[in-house]
Amino acid sequence: MRNPPEEHSLAVWIWPRALPLREIFGAAWDDPDIRTRFLTLAGQWHTRHPSPRPDPGPGGGPRPGQWMWHPPAHSIYDSHTYEEAGDDWLEVAVRMENADYFPGHCRIEASLTVACRCDSPHDRHTIVETRWRSGGPVAALDALTTVLRATDQWLADSRRPDWWRRHSGLR
């Protein structure tokens, strides 16, 4: 994400194949078919939204295709930022996390945000988002499929921050 929160000091960028899905979401995620489907969706996410920034190199941030794993929160996420000259940027992000209050459930969400130019420094405006809660890996991956389609639809309109600013009535 563009500006990860302070508590993300324990988070690491990791390749989807290395993500400990069982540790994050439970034993049912160990199934080879589930892992393969997740890797296919993660690959599709990267293909649909290739990183517009160059490869940052060692220690310079994530490499294109890596996801962030935040062990304490039992969550994984990735985002793509589309920047324009000046301080304008657009970010599309997808996140999956364990829903502790419902064992075996996952929360899956995506958001589209644009840079904030307000007087108060809250960093960004969420333009559109979608959230799902699913029980079990099959339902979670079905929800992830739906979420990825939503990001496609959002960005089909435009990948330009200024377009989204105008569309949302932001100055």
Side-chain angles (χ1 to χ4, degrees):
M1 303 189 104
R2 186 175 175 85
N3 294 308
E6 295 287 328
E7 72 268 14
H8 280 59
S9 62
L10 299 174
V12 295
W13 290 102
I14 192 168
W15 298 106
R17 187 170 303 285
L19 285 167
L21 298 178
R22 175 190 179 106
E23 182 178 326
I24 300 168
F25 301 119
W29 287 79
D30 252 355
D31 181 280
D33 291 336
I34 297 298
R35 179 169 277 287
T36 298
R37 185 170 174 210
F38 171 77
L39 292 173
T40 299
L41 291 170
Q44 289 172 352
W45 161 255
H46 178 67
T47 300
R48 290 171 173 161
H49 309 290
S51 179
R53 63 188 180 276
D55 187 349
R63 295 186 179 275
Q66 288 184 320
W67 284 54
M68 182 162 283
W69 171 39
H70 188 223
H74 297 280
S75 69
I76 58 174
Y77 53 90
D78 191 29
S79 66
H80 297 288
T81 303
Y82 301 91
E83 298 189 49
E84 289 184 342
D87 62 355
D88 236 356
W89 53 266
L90 180 72
E91 179 180 89
V92 61
V94 63
R95 177 185 187 107
M96 293 179 66
E97 62 187 351
N98 183 330
D100 291 333
Y101 50 89
F102 287 105
H105 287 232
C106 295
R107 287 188 301 260
I108 300 97
E109 58 189 54
S111 62
L112 183 76
T113 57
V114 69
C116 171
R117 293 184 188 160
C118 299
D119 293 334
S120 62
H122 56 262
D123 191 41
R124 65 187 89 200
H125 292 275
T126 299
I127 304 299
V128 64
E129 62 188 342
T130 183
R131 294 182 177 163
W132 295 76
R133 189 184 78 218
S134 302
V138 172
L141 293 173
D142 288 346
L144 180 59
T145 300
T146 301
V147 163
L148 294 180
R149 284 187 191 133
T151 65
D152 290 345
Q153 291 170 352
W154 300 338
L155 293 174
D157 289 329
S158 179
R159 294 179 186 224
R160 297 195 46 177
D162 61 342
W163 186 93
W164 281 101
R165 288 183 144 303
R166 283 190 311 277
H167 177 73
S168 302
L170 299 171
R171 57 181 169 100

